[in-house]
Amino acid sequence: MRSHQCPAARHPLKLCATLVQNPMNLGALCRTAEVFGLEQLVLPSLKWAEDQEFRKLAVSAHQWQPMTECSVDQLSHWMSQQQHQGMSIIALCRHNQAIPLPKFLFPKRSVLLLGRELTGIPEALIAQCNAVVEIPQYGQVDSLNVAVAAAIAIYAYLSQYGDMATE
């Protein structure tokens, strides 16, 4: 696992996009993570940050957002390491055990785990998480774009801890 680090005050929330496969979604997630000052964005590979589609959506956020990589086959191990370091892994997906996002109190040191487009988060990874949250939805469409869903969940986290960026 390689890292790309940029010094700045950051919120102790990591955004894990290892399962995300679309470069445009990854670029939008990078921009969102940077705008909200997240501690880290986890990509399936740092090579995605060189992709033109990624950069179109990231604008220049990839220059400022701390990023690291974790391949899909290493994700379970990476999650265990994060938990061992005191991070809580929070899956963001529709699930029968999910807590509605407005009722969820985020642990201060959290990792928000995002799912793969269309198929979500595998059950084995959900079982490894500390909690599962979902965004209440009221329309006919059963899902949100992963970058939009992440932005909503990050905003919910920041509404609880927004004044607590650390250096």
Side-chain angles (χ1 to χ4, degrees):
M1 288 181 243
R2 296 181 297 155
S3 293
H4 166 68
Q5 300 292 331
C6 298
R10 297 279 169 184
H11 298 285
L13 176 64
K14 295 181 183 184
L15 186 61
C16 183
T18 291
L19 297 172
V20 177
Q21 299 175 312
N22 182 307
M24 291 187 295
N25 284 337
L26 291 168
L29 290 166
C30 179
R31 186 173 180 175
T32 300
E34 198 287 321
V35 165
F36 286 126
L38 301 190
E39 181 178 318
Q40 192 171 71
L41 171 63
V42 183
L43 299 173
S45 169
L46 288 176
K47 290 181 182 179
W48 282 111
E50 300 167 15
D51 183 275
Q52 288 291 40
E53 296 297 313
F54 178 100
R55 288 187 176 200
K56 265 190 224 176
L57 272 289
V59 188
S60 63
H62 63 283
Q63 297 175 36
W64 314 113
Q65 176 56 45
M67 294 184 283
T68 192
E69 66 180 15
C70 175
S71 63
V72 173
D73 61 332
Q74 291 293 312
L75 184 54
S76 178
H77 177 70
W78 181 87
M79 289 168 57
S80 293
Q81 286 179 319
Q82 295 302 303
Q83 289 167 321
H84 184 71
Q85 295 170 11
M87 301 294 288
S88 294
I89 311 289
I90 313 303
L92 177 62
C93 64
R94 302 288 304 252
H95 193 271
N96 61 359
Q97 296 176 338
I99 300 166
L101 186 61
K103 296 181 179 192
F104 184 69
L105 179 60
F106 280 90
K108 184 177 174 187
R109 298 186 67 229
S110 292
V111 173
L112 188 61
L113 177 64
L114 305 175
R116 181 171 280 133
E117 297 91 341
L118 301 177
T119 59
I121 301 171
E123 265 314 307
L125 293 177
I126 288 175
Q128 193 177 340
C129 291
N130 298 92
V132 182
V133 297
E134 68 181 0
I135 298 167
Q137 298 174 34
Y138 307 101
Q140 297 301 310
V141 177
D142 194 33
S143 67
L144 289 165
N145 171 274
V146 66
V148 171
I152 292 168
I154 292 165
Y155 189 80
Y157 172 90
L158 291 176
S159 72
Q160 296 171 22
Y161 299 111
D163 60 344
M164 301 185 91
T166 58
E167 295 192 42

